[in-house]
Amino acid sequence: MASFTLDVNGKSHAIDADPDMPLLYALKNDVGLNNPQFGCGLAQCGACTVHLNGQPIRSCVTPVSAVGDGKVVTMSGLGTPEKPHPLQTAYVAEQVTQCGYCINGWVMTAAAFLRDNKKPTDEQIKQALHGIKCRCGTHMNILRAVKRAASMMG
Amino acid sequence: MTKMEKPANFSRRSFLTTGGALVVSIGMPISAETLLSINTAFAQATATRPPLVPNQLSSYVAINADGSVSAFFGKMDMGQGLYVSIGQMVAEELDVPFERVTVYMADTRTSVNQGGASGSTGIQSGGKQMRAASAEARRVLVEMGAQKLNLPADQLTVADGVVQAKSDPAKRATYAELIGGRHFNVELEWNNKIGNALYAPGKATPKSHKDYKIVGKPIKRADIAPKAFCTAPFVTDIKRPGMVHARMVRPPVAGATIESVDEASIKNIPGARVVRENNFLAVVADKEWDAIKALRQLKVQWSNSKPPFIDQAALYEYIRKAPVRKREDSKPVGNVEEAFKSAARVIEAEYEWPFQSHSCMGPACAVVEIADNGHVTCWSGTQKPHFLRDGVARTLGVKPETVDCIWVVGPGSYGRSDADDCGNDCAVIAKAVGKPVRLQYMRNDGTGWDPKAPASIHRARAAIDAKGQVIAYQFLSKGFSRVDVNTNGSQPRDTLAGHFRGVELRSGDNFGVPAESYAFANKHTAWETIPPLLDRASPLRSSHLRDPVGPQIHFASESFMDEIAHALGVDPLELRLRHVKNPRHAAVLQAAAKKAGWESRPSPRKGQSGNTASGRGIAYAARNGTVVAIVSEIEVDRSTGKIWARKFTVAHDCGQVINPDGLVHTVEGNIIQALSRTIWEEVKFDTGNVTSIDWLTYPILDMTEVPEVIDVVILDRPDQPPTGAGEGSTRPVTAAIANAIFDATGVRLRRAPFTPDRLRAAMS
């Protein structure tokens, strides 16, 4: 066990954990967030995606000891109903989800991609989201939402 | 607005009686709190809660003190927007604005057993009951209004939840004034069935569709925003005071039994302990990561079990030769055998379908808490909480009324998944450790050990006479049963917890035959089931996955229609229209073809050269009253064998459409999931165990492979009863693609899935 101070969504959290414990469990059980989610523990699906210093990472395979002073932003830190991120607005407008368990992977990956890539083509969006899983098959909705958000972030 | 506040302290009465503002989340299983105001007593209303039984109106609908409506629904919405449709049906019959209705779903504390999610009957049977109950509630409210206003009921009308005199709107009584905050006390005519078949109407006749104002409107879901802002908990987020974490330890070889467990091997992990009962083995720790470490570290000596499975390469040969355990024949038309004897030509084909996995987005999770007074609460992502309640009660050896099961949205829901196993497993562990337990499976449990869609073969034969007419048709499905384990977790014999603890499986038999209306002078269809490869705790035990046995059967039957068309040199749509008899079936075929701009010609398409070949295919199927025709337009990369399904045109007739917006989203999801099953999905196994254990070994459709367009044509039939949309459009997808592959390349694929390797090999 070791002590860590995590910067999550702009707040500092002191936790005691095994250095090799993945960040996911710190976020869910120590910080107490309802997101991200455990999908595979193998970095294959995206359900656990968060931003570390602005870049999407898979928190299910990132040891808490590797986070250091890095700034962690989860999907709940992306925006609020009062001040939503364009992707959150677009998700609601396009009625994207079915079960919604996959949502962190798509939104957090797309958020970093749209921040760095203005006016992307459909093909670029698809490539950016390659590998992320949705089992309910809401891909058409997801694409519409990401395109809507892209136009909002223009 | 969407918090799950202390769900354990919830009681059904708190919906109606607790002080404070209305705090509701449509579709979420949470408590709503409204102000109680006692009015004049009526016989049809009561301040005390009537029992939660199917023949009580109060079991389905309540008017809160502020006039808002609570609808208690014994099914659940897996994300297709069902609860919105239910809210529309309830609001319509009660004559209240849609926004005033809150639907509480799939919670044994608030609803009776309407079967949970099952067979796309959410609207078809679940909605039918909610409609009948709401109509009865309106009738009772009008009667109460008549008493209060001292006017005959037939001189009253209802608008926006206000009963008023037709002649004088000033003579009025609101629903809130009439009964708000108290319960209906009205007996319904229950058919004495539970589950999907439950029906308990009152004396009222529901409205004519001509008077609908809310049904048929596109209304959006309110449960997306809480997901987008991460304010709504999934079942994985449920936390209870003192809760510990558990993981299951499954055998490396299916059928292996435990010889010894070295509990000392995890003694360095704080709080880690083993829970064992026969071959049921779990690890528990205070912290989740410690439970996972204990799972990985625990030393177990398993028996040298004889590997129970067969070489996967021989799967279909095995099914072909396996002894038939049960056969069911449809009523034959004409004399098929005689017709085949007189045939000028006989066309025959056989099709093969693999085991497939639910592979939910996350492996199942459940939380079970046993209170000091023995009351058990199980939070689960199950589709069927009432049945899981019964299962947990049996697993723990307590009465069902001692157990509550609360559905909380889980990681996907497509049938009898691992969720029902998880709830029962978690109950065993919670009893053993005496603390609230959260159990989440690992990925390899979710993919490797979930109940599978059954593998099967399908033989079709057609007899053609000298004039080129189809004079006889025969179809046989043979495969593993769709109910090797039953479709709910109500019996320990159908769960892994039961199997590993020593309960014997009683494997059931069911499969199916094509659902279409093709008329042939002589026609015969049948199905046969074979015994499971391993009779207990099998990772290849088979059960229901979205549209159970529909994709495999109609892959075969609708591919075969194209094979007949090819043999006769006619257009595949033309052949179907020659034989299809039900006018609604013909209508979807014509609608899909028209919207897709179907060109009448035989397949394959001529003049295809170059690396990319394009083709089109059509297929249709019925499902429980719903009928769907699909035209797929695809491109095949000849060098890689990769298929891109560029466009789908889907003509969909599910009778009366309650919410066209929800319907289109549902159809899109079905098409994508079915496309994934068509191109990629096949459970791999070796002789010892399932080897599809994650997303690399069980790939699904990727974002880079999705269609450009899914064009949904809704054939609304407002004068017809509504039927299901949750699965029907899954059914014809594989054949529509197989037929398009043939159109593009002249290659007929008769084994799913159509992986690039398989198609490339077939083309070479």
Side-chain angles (χ1 to χ4, degrees):
Chain A
M1 293 285 272
S3 296
F4 299 94
T5 304
L6 297 175
D7 182 338
V8 182
N9 297 331
K11 280 187 193 156
S12 185
H13 297 269
I15 66 159
D16 290 324
D18 272 351
D20 60 349
M21 180 178 85
L23 174 62
L24 173 67
Y25 302 101
L27 295 174
K28 286 196 84 69
N29 299 329
D30 297 304
V31 180
L33 296 176
N34 277 354
N35 68 110
Q37 293 293 355
F38 175 87
C40 63
L42 303 162
Q44 294 176 358
C45 76
C48 66
T49 306
V50 300
H51 287 181
L52 179 59
N53 295 324
Q55 292 307 313
I57 60 154
R58 304 287 165 92
S59 67
C60 74
V61 294
T62 305
V64 71
S65 57
V67 174
D69 297 334
K71 291 189 185 312
V72 177
V73 174
T74 75
M75 196 175 149
S76 58
L78 207 58
T80 61
E82 295 73 35
K83 216 179 158 188
H85 186 280
L87 276 161
Q88 290 169 315
T89 304
Y91 251 64
V92 176
E94 297 290 351
Q95 297 273 290
V96 171
T97 67
Q98 282 200 20
C99 82
Y101 197 82
C102 65
I103 196 167
N104 291 272
W106 300 101
V107 169
M108 296 311 281
T109 306
F113 171 73
L114 295 181
R115 179 196 62 209
D116 299 339
N117 297 273
K118 302 297 174 195
K119 302 191 190 326
T121 64
D122 288 11
E123 203 47 44
Q124 287 169 328
I125 294 172
K126 287 183 185 179
Q127 285 300 333
L129 300 174
H130 168 62
I132 300 169
K133 304 291 184 286
C134 165
R135 187 56 172 145
C136 297
T138 65
H139 300 67
M140 306 301 281
N141 284 344
I142 292 168
L143 262 186
R144 283 192 285 264
V146 175
K147 283 155 71 172
R148 181 189 278 254
S151 66
M152 290 165 70
M153 292 166 78
Chain B
M1 71 177 216
T2 54
K3 282 184 233 159
M4 177 165 285
E5 306 269 17
K6 297 182 185 159
N9 296 334
F10 166 103
S11 76
R12 188 154 178 270
R13 282 207 64 196
S14 72
F15 276 106
L16 305 167
T17 58
T18 318
L22 185 70
V23 182
V24 296
S25 160
I26 292 172
M28 295 297 295
I30 60 160
S31 66
E33 298 173 339
T34 59
L35 205 63
L36 173 67
S37 64
I38 298 292
N39 269 319
T40 325
F42 291 94
Q44 288 159 320
T46 169
T48 53
R49 168 194 175 182
L52 183 58
V53 289
N55 63 345
Q56 262 290 344
L57 180 57
S58 58
S59 298
Y60 307 96
V61 62
I63 308 292
N64 299 306
D66 63 356
S68 66
V69 177
S70 295
F72 305 108
F73 190 39
K75 289 181 171 290
M76 56 75 89
D77 179 4
M78 55 185 64
Q80 297 176 322
L82 170 63
Y83 81 90
V84 181
S85 296
I86 296 301
Q88 287 177 263
M89 294 169 95
V90 169
E92 185 71 68
E93 294 302 329
L94 273 168
D95 278 317
V96 298
F98 170 77
E99 296 72 24
R100 213 174 284 172
V101 178
T102 303
V103 180
Y104 297 90
M105 292 184 286
D107 184 332
T108 58
R109 301 168 304 173
T110 58
S111 58
V112 296
N113 186 351
Q114 290 185 265
S118 170
S120 298
T121 59
I123 288 172
Q124 191 164 10
S125 60
K128 181 182 174 188
Q129 172 55 25
M130 299 308 285
R131 175 178 270 172
S134 303
E136 177 68 356
R138 183 190 185 277
R139 186 194 69 76
V140 169
L141 286 159
V142 168
E143 212 170 85
M144 293 166 82
Q147 265 185 285
K148 186 178 168 88
L149 300 172
N150 205 17
L151 286 166
D154 63 5
Q155 289 179 23
L156 299 176
T157 185
V158 181
D160 283 354
V162 180
V163 181
Q164 56 197 34
K166 287 175 184 169
S167 55
D168 180 6
K171 291 179 182 164
R172 66 202 295 273
T174 67
Y175 282 179
E177 288 162 357
L178 291 168
I179 198 172
R182 288 169 302 129
H183 304 267
F184 286 106
N185 185 22
V186 176
E187 199 163 325
L188 304 174
E189 292 168 42
W190 178 35
N191 64 359
N192 285 316
K193 291 179 176 162
I194 60 156
N196 294 342
L198 183 154
Y199 189 50
K203 292 177 189 143
T205 306
K207 276 184 186 175
S208 161
H209 67 90
K210 290 172 190 156
D211 299 325
Y212 284 164
K213 300 183 191 77
I214 303 168
V215 163
K217 295 276 186 304
I219 296 178
K220 287 185 185 292
R221 288 166 56 188
D223 62 321
I224 308 275
K227 287 172 179 168
F229 296 106
C230 309
T231 53
F234 285 84
V235 67
T236 47
D237 300 313
I238 298 295
K239 294 179 175 69
R240 302 297 306 158
M243 183 177 87
V244 296
H245 293 268
R247 289 295 182 276
M248 295 308 299
V249 186
R250 303 294 189 206
V253 173
T257 53
I258 298 170
E259 296 199 333
S260 64
V261 177
D262 178 7
E263 299 197 23
S265 63
I266 55 169
K267 70 176 182 190
N268 64 321
I269 300 172
R273 58 169 287 193
V274 164
V275 172
R276 182 187 169 188
E277 193 180 330
N278 290 341
N279 295 303
F280 179 100
L281 185 60
V283 288
V284 179
D286 296 344
K287 287 182 159 259
E288 187 171 15
W289 180 241
D290 285 337
I292 295 169
K293 283 203 301 189
L295 166 67
R296 290 172 180 167
Q297 206 172 297
L298 184 71
K299 287 186 180 148
V300 185
Q301 185 67 46
W302 297 92
S303 67
N304 280 322
S305 160
K306 181 176 169 287
F309 299 148
I310 52 171
D311 176 6
Q312 186 170 11
L315 173 64
Y316 301 113
E317 194 55 28
Y318 175 87
I319 296 173
R320 225 164 264 133
K321 291 178 179 162
V324 173
R325 195 168 65 178
K326 185 175 179 188
R327 179 182 167 109
E328 196 168 288
D329 290 79
S330 63
K331 192 166 171 257
V333 175
N335 188 327
V336 171
E337 290 310 320
E338 285 304 311
F340 271 97
K341 281 180 198 161
S342 71
R345 292 170 71 186
V346 172
I347 304 160
E348 286 180 273
E350 190 170 88
Y351 304 84
E352 298 159 335
W353 190 275
F355 287 106
Q356 293 186 326
S357 166
H358 297 252
S359 281
C360 290
M361 191 61 210
C365 181
V367 174
V368 173
E369 179 171 24
I370 305 175
D372 291 343
N373 66 2
H375 190 84
V376 182
T377 307
C378 173
W379 291 263
S380 168
T382 177
Q383 291 185 193
K384 302 179 182 182
H386 296 81
F387 287 117
L388 180 55
R389 180 252 331 258
D390 297 347
V392 166
R394 289 186 176 107
T395 292
L396 297 179
V398 299
K399 290 179 178 168
E401 50 270 30
T402 311
V403 181
D404 276 314
C405 185
I406 303 164
W407 167 75
V408 186
V409 62
S413 201
Y414 322 108
R416 169 63 172 89
S417 70
D418 52 347
D420 298 289
D421 290 306
C422 190
N424 279 287
D425 281 342
C426 194
V428 174
I429 301 166
K431 186 180 179 185
V433 302
K435 291 177 181 173
V437 173
R438 175 186 183 275
L439 168 65
Q440 184 162 26
Y441 289 158
M442 299 301 283
R443 180 72 262 164
N444 56 324
D445 301 324
T447 306
W449 284 90
D450 72 328
K452 305 296 187 292
S456 55
I457 61 168
H458 305 269
R459 293 177 198 139
R461 271 203 316 163
I464 315 292
D465 69 9
K467 289 181 234 155
Q469 300 297 311
V470 182
I471 55 169
Y473 174 91
Q474 202 168 29
F475 189 95
L476 173 70
S477 299
K478 184 180 184 189
F480 295 95
S481 172
R482 62 190 272 182
V483 286
D484 177 28
V485 291
N486 202 0
T487 61
N488 64 60
S490 67
Q491 294 287 349
R493 63 173 182 256
D494 292 314
T495 67
L496 289 179
H499 294 182
F500 282 116
R501 292 161 77 226
V503 180
E504 198 171 337
L505 167 72
R506 286 213 302 255
S507 175
D509 287 290
N510 198 4
F511 208 89
V513 296
E516 30 74 358
S517 65
Y518 296 131
F520 301 104
N522 303 281
K523 184 176 180 182
H524 175 230
T525 61
W527 60 256
E528 295 173 342
T529 47
I530 64 173
L533 294 167
L534 171 65
D535 68 358
R536 204 181 301 184
S538 174
L540 285 176
R541 68 201 185 285
S542 41
S543 194
H544 280 185
L545 170 62
R546 181 165 284 174
D547 189 23
V549 302
Q552 40 275 66
I553 291 168
H554 300 89
F555 159 48
S557 63
E558 282 294 283
S559 292
F560 190 63
M561 285 304 283
D562 266 45
E563 299 218 41
I564 299 172
H566 174 61
L568 300 179
V570 302
D571 173 73
L573 171 65
E574 161 63 23
L575 179 78
R576 285 174 172 80
L577 292 174
R578 264 185 214 173
H579 292 281
V580 77
K581 280 295 165 267
N582 184 321
R584 284 172 68 175
H585 295 197
V588 288
L589 281 163
Q590 283 158 333
K594 186 178 174 198
K595 191 72 196 290
W598 183 266
E599 177 199 354
S600 185
R601 59 168 174 78
S603 287
R605 188 175 163 193
K606 292 197 171 67
Q608 296 256 40
S609 59
N611 187 51
T612 303
S614 58
R616 56 85 196 271
I618 192 165
Y620 108 93
R623 190 184 195 288
N624 257 349
T626 295
V627 55
V628 183
I630 296 178
V631 173
S632 80
E633 295 169 57
I634 68 156
E635 291 178 4
V636 176
D637 184 320
R638 290 182 199 269
S639 62
T640 61
K642 203 160 180 186
I643 300 156
W644 181 40
R646 190 178 59 77
K647 183 179 178 188
F648 288 93
T649 306
V650 184
H652 199 283
D653 173 358
C654 56
Q656 180 186 91
V657 174
I658 310 296
N659 184 337
D661 195 51
L663 175 57
V664 168
H665 286 290
T666 298
V667 169
E668 282 187 354
N670 285 345
I671 298 291
I672 296 289
Q673 196 184 60
L675 178 60
S676 177
R677 292 173 72 176
T678 298
I679 293 181
W680 290 115
E681 295 185 32
E682 175 170 29
V683 169
K684 300 287 175 62
F685 56 92
D686 60 22
T687 54
N689 211 332
V690 167
T691 55
S692 287
I693 51 169
D694 57 21
W695 297 112
L696 295 179
T697 49
Y698 193 78
I700 62 169
L701 197 78
D702 188 70
M703 181 55 106
T704 53
E705 301 162 341
V706 301
E708 207 166 66
V709 183
I710 298 175
D711 193 358
V712 183
V713 183
I714 299 174
L715 282 78
D716 190 10
R717 299 192 184 276
D719 58 333
Q720 296 292 319
T723 52
E727 298 171 279
S729 50
T730 296
R731 192 161 266 205
V733 168
T734 309
I737 291 171
N739 294 338
I741 292 170
F742 181 76
D743 190 54
T745 65
V747 167
R748 174 58 60 183
L749 290 186
R750 299 191 184 90
R751 176 181 290 184
F754 311 151
T755 58
D757 286 350
R758 194 166 280 160
L759 178 52
R760 198 175 61 236
M763 286 188 296
S764 62

